[in-house]
Amino acid sequence: MSRRIRRSSLVWLLLASLLAVVGAACSGSHDSALPDCPDDALTCPPASGSSAAPSGSPASSAPAATPTSPAASPSPSGPPSASGTSGSPAAKAACSSPSACGFPDARTTGPRIALTPHKTGYKAIRTNGLTIRGWDITGSLDIYANDVTIIDTKITSDSWWGINLRPGYHGLRVLHSTITAVPGKGPDNGGVDYAVSNMGGSSVEVGWCDVSVFGDALSMGQGDIHDNYVHDIEPFINQGGEWQHTNAVISGGGNTGHLVIRHNTLLNPTSLKQGASGSIGLFADTGVVRNVTVDHNWIAGGAYALYGGDTGATGIKVTNNVFSTQYHPAAGGYGVVAHWNHGGAGNVWRDNRMSDGRPIAPEPAS
C-alpha cells in the first residue's frame, strides 16, 4: 500500500513539473507574438534598443482562438489532413469548399480586435520599426521605411494600392488584416490595382489577411504569402480602355529572392470577357521567373488557374494544391495551368488534384 502511494505521488510530481514547463514555454511565445502596444494606438514606436519588427515566424504570430474562429489558426504548412504524399487518401479526397477542407476563409483571416476608424487618406510611412495596429483606415499606406508591421488593421483604399513597399526598403509584414477598396472610386478609370505591392527586391510577408476588390491583389516577386483569403476581385476597364487583367497573386519575374505561396484560398471569379488572367500569375514580364513555391493552396478561377512561369522558368515547385471547379469545370476558363516549363531545372509538379479528387498534371508544352 505504501509503495502504491509513493508511486502515485511521484507521478503527480512529474506531471506538475511537465505542465509548468509547457505553460512557461507557451506564455513566452505568446508574449513575443505581438508588439507591446496599447489596443487603441494607431502606431507603436519601435521597441527600445531595436528598430526591428517582431522577428517570429509566421506561425508565432497566430492568435489564440476567438469565438468565431477554429481552435487554432491554420499553419502555413497546410491543412492537417494533407500529407503531401501521392499515395495517401487525403491527397485524393474531394473537397466541397475551402473552409470544409481546412483552407482560409473570412472566419480565419482579418483583424482579431476591435478597430478604431481613422481617415488617413494617402499616408507615407517613414519610421523604421513602426507597428500600425488596431485601426480601421480609409486611405492607403506608402512604405518608405524598414521593418514596418501592419497587424490587426483594416484598410479601405481608393488609390492604386492598399499597402506599397518602395524600392530600397525591407522587412514589411502585413498580418491579420483586411485590405479592400471601393469599386469605382480608384484612380485607374475607377479601378484599383494592388492590395499589397512589393516594388523592391526584399521579401514581404502577408499572412492571415482577408483581401478583396483589387485587380492584382498580391503583387510581388519575392515574399511569404500564407494563410490568406483572396476573393471578390472586381473587374474594371483601365485608362487604356481595356479590361484590366486580374490575378489573386501576380509576379512579373526577374525576382532575386524566393516567393512562397502556401496555404491560401485564392479565388478569381472574373469572367473571361472581363479580363480574367489567373488565380496565380507567374509571368516573365520583367525577367525570368525563378524560385517559387506554390504549396497547399485552394485555387479557383482565371483564364488559367495557374500561369507557370513560361520558357526559362526554374525552381518552380507546385505541390499538394487543390484546383477548384467552383467557377469553371477545369478550374480556369481554359484549363488548370499554362506556360509550365517541363524541362526547367528544379521545376516540380506533384500531388495536385481537382476539388473532386481527380489528379492533374500539366499538358506538354506545344
Side-chain angles (χ1 to χ4, degrees), residues 79-233:
S81 61
S83 67
T85 59
S86 58
S88 69
K92 298 178 181 179
C95 281
S96 60
S97 68
S99 58
C101 294
F103 291 96
D105 62 11
R107 299 171 305 146
T108 61
T109 57
R112 304 159 296 174
I113 61 176
L115 306 180
T116 303
H118 194 86
K119 294 184 178 181
T120 64
Y122 168 86
K123 185 175 182 63
I125 304 298
R126 302 182 186 275
T127 303
N128 290 340
L130 190 68
T131 293
I132 297 175
R133 179 173 183 255
W135 275 67
D136 185 346
I137 293 173
T138 302
S140 59
L141 302 178
D142 203 2
I143 313 298
Y144 294 85
N146 298 321
D147 302 318
V148 172
T149 297
I150 299 162
I151 188 167
D152 289 316
T153 290
K154 179 179 180 181
I155 294 176
T156 304
S157 174
D158 60 359
S159 184
W160 298 102
W161 58 74
I163 303 166
N164 180 49
L165 180 66
R166 290 288 178 171
Y169 299 95
H170 62 263
L172 174 64
R173 304 177 75 200
V174 184
L175 308 173
H176 298 290
S177 294
T178 294
I179 309 162
T180 189
V182 183
K185 299 293 185 181
D188 195 354
N189 205 24
V192 286
D193 291 272
Y194 311 110
V196 180
S197 170
N198 181 5
M199 298 177 68
S202 67
S203 182
V204 168
E205 180 184 0
V206 183
W208 302 286
C209 289
D210 184 321
V211 181
S212 62
V213 179
F214 292 90
D216 284 322
L218 302 177
S219 174
M220 60 191 70
Q222 43 271 315
D224 184 6
I225 299 172
H226 64 86
D227 299 285
N228 302 290
Y229 175 45
V230 182
H231 60 102
D232 293 310
I233 291 173

Side-chain angles (χ1 to χ4, degrees), residues 35-45 113 131-135:
D36 185 11
C37 172
D39 286 347
D40 60 351
L42 168 60
T43 59
C44 300
I113 61 176
T131 293
I132 297 175
R133 179 173 183 255
W135 275 67

Side-chain angles (χ1 to χ4, degrees), residues 26-48:
C26 292
S27 175
S29 63
H30 176 74
D31 290 343
S32 63
L34 295 177
D36 185 11
C37 172
D39 286 347
D40 60 351
L42 168 60
T43 59
C44 300
S48 59

